[in-house]
Amino acid sequence: MKQTVVTFQEAKQKQEKITMLTAYDYSTARLMEEAGIHSLLVGDSLGMVMLGYEDTLSVTMEDMLHHCKAVARGAKEALVVCDMPFLSYQTSVYDAVVNAGRLVKEGHAGAVKLEGGQEVCPQIKAIVQASIPVMGHLGLTPQSVHALGGFKVQGKTEEAAKKLLEDAKCVEEAGAFAMVLECVPAKLAELVSKSISIPTIGIGAGNGCDGQVLVYQDMLGMYRDFVPKFVKKFGNVGDEMKAAFHEYIAQVQSGQFPAPEHTFAIGDDVLKKLY
Ligand code: KIV
């Protein structure tokens, strides 16, 4: 079934969990689709897991467009949500609408995601008014890593928890169709999820959220620079890839690969004429 902002809303009403994974390329998007995922997030985490940066701040609009186009080509039913990169929306409402528009027009995203609470609500409102669905992102907002003093759990004090709840209501009122809650204590995430009518998608926020998202390299054991506590490994693809790479190297060096069945023949009569 084609996933849309409407099916997200229906899922929350029916208390059916929404599934989302990050995707950055065509073939992975196809595999996730075939598995029945509801939504693919072209996250700016691509800066870390695909491009090798230390954080997400260096990611550009061109990076996002490049990967979003590939994912959109692979997604027939899943809702493709594309992250707005750092400084593509914080600078002004105008920039936010223009850049969100590019992600939809050129990147073929079905929705955009941006980080922040009250301070970005004017941007959310304006993008939604331009008929582009917006997913919010609260809690640990990686684009604010320097302001937050690192990748840390958010909303642990009374003041911070109140602010998170207020921000969630503000993002909902601004017109967002869903929001990510990242690295938020489970009980607070559950309270937020019950206090708003749009779905919450948790990452490191417990199972009281309306859906879950993970970075696929984390859940497959492919990215080992830093593995957050909230990650569960659903596969050991990293180890399998390494073993296959070792085997390939060994077989090329020993001459075992390529074997006759991997090669193309030429007639002896043709070959003779070349000598
Ligand atoms: O960029 C990303 O992958 C994200 C998820 C962590 C939610 O924003």
Side-chain angles (χ1 to χ4, degrees):
M1 189 172 77
K2 183 91 186 141
Q3 298 297 319
T4 65
V5 295
V6 175
T7 58
F8 265 52
Q9 190 59 50
E10 287 168 355
K12 172 142 183 157
Q13 279 154 6
K14 290 190 231 159
Q15 296 185 358
E16 288 170 2
K17 296 279 187 185
I18 298 164
T19 58
M20 184 182 222
L21 282 169
T22 63
Y24 316 101
D25 66 87
Y26 172 81
S27 49
T28 311
R30 292 296 311 133
L31 290 170
M32 290 172 179
E33 269 253 333
E34 283 165 25
I37 200 82
H38 293 128
S39 181
L40 299 172
L41 172 63
V42 188
D44 61 357
S45 52
L46 72 85
M48 298 168 79
V49 297
M50 299 295 291
L51 305 178
Y53 296 131
E54 272 185 13
D55 53 43
T56 60
L57 302 181
S58 308
V59 176
T60 64
M61 275 295 294
E62 302 314 314
D63 292 331
M64 296 311 300
L65 284 166
H66 179 73
H67 289 272
C68 192
K69 284 178 199 176
V71 170
R73 285 192 285 266
K76 309 289 175 237
E77 310 245 292
L79 176 63
V80 176
V81 181
C82 188
D83 257 339
M84 299 197 68
F86 183 52
L87 294 191
S88 69
Y89 59 94
Q90 292 95 337
T91 43
S92 71
V93 168
Y94 177 82
D95 286 351
V97 177
V98 170
N99 286 318
R102 286 193 71 197
L103 295 176
V104 173
K105 266 178 99 162
E106 298 171 45
H108 304 288
V112 299
K113 176 165 83 60
L114 55 82
E115 299 179 6
Q118 288 177 12
E119 71 284 6
V120 292
C121 282
Q123 280 90 329
I124 295 177
K125 242 183 223 163
I127 298 170
V128 172
Q129 270 170 11
S131 302
I132 299 170
V134 177
M135 178 176 277
H137 185 153
L138 295 174
L140 171 58
T141 45
Q143 291 176 16
S144 307
V145 61
H146 295 313
L148 297 174
F151 295 106
K152 294 178 183 165
V153 180
Q154 301 296 309
K156 286 187 88 165
T157 65
E158 186 186 336
E159 194 190 355
K162 266 190 191 155
K163 164 102 173 79
L164 196 116
L165 196 52
E166 279 165 18
D167 277 342
K169 288 179 182 166
C170 200
V171 167
E172 177 184 21
E173 271 165 32
F177 75 97
M179 76 182 67
V180 165
L181 296 178
E182 180 168 355
C183 279
V184 172
K187 286 188 177 161
L188 175 60
E190 191 176 349
L191 176 65
V192 171
S193 305
K194 285 185 176 148
S195 307
I196 58 176
S197 63
I198 58 173
T200 58
I201 311 294
I203 174 162
N207 65 10
C209 294
D210 303 303
Q212 297 293 326
V213 60
L214 279 177
V215 171
Y216 88 82
Q217 283 87 346
D218 287 342
M219 57 93 78
L220 294 182
M222 294 168 67
Y223 180 76
R224 299 150 191 235
D225 294 9
F226 169 68
V227 183
K229 177 186 171 189
F230 57 76
V231 169
K232 177 171 177 176
K233 251 208 241 170
F234 287 84
N236 270 317
V237 177
D239 287 343
E240 274 195 40
M241 285 172 81
K242 234 164 97 175
F245 298 148
H246 273 132
E247 189 56 24
Y248 169 76
I249 292 165
Q251 289 197 19
V252 169
Q253 287 178 337
S254 70
Q256 194 183 339
F257 176 82
E261 65 267 29
H262 307 121
T263 56
F264 302 99
I266 183 170
D268 285 345
D269 49 331
V270 178
L271 206 55
K272 257 188 223 156
K273 292 189 181 130
L274 305 178
Y275 287 99

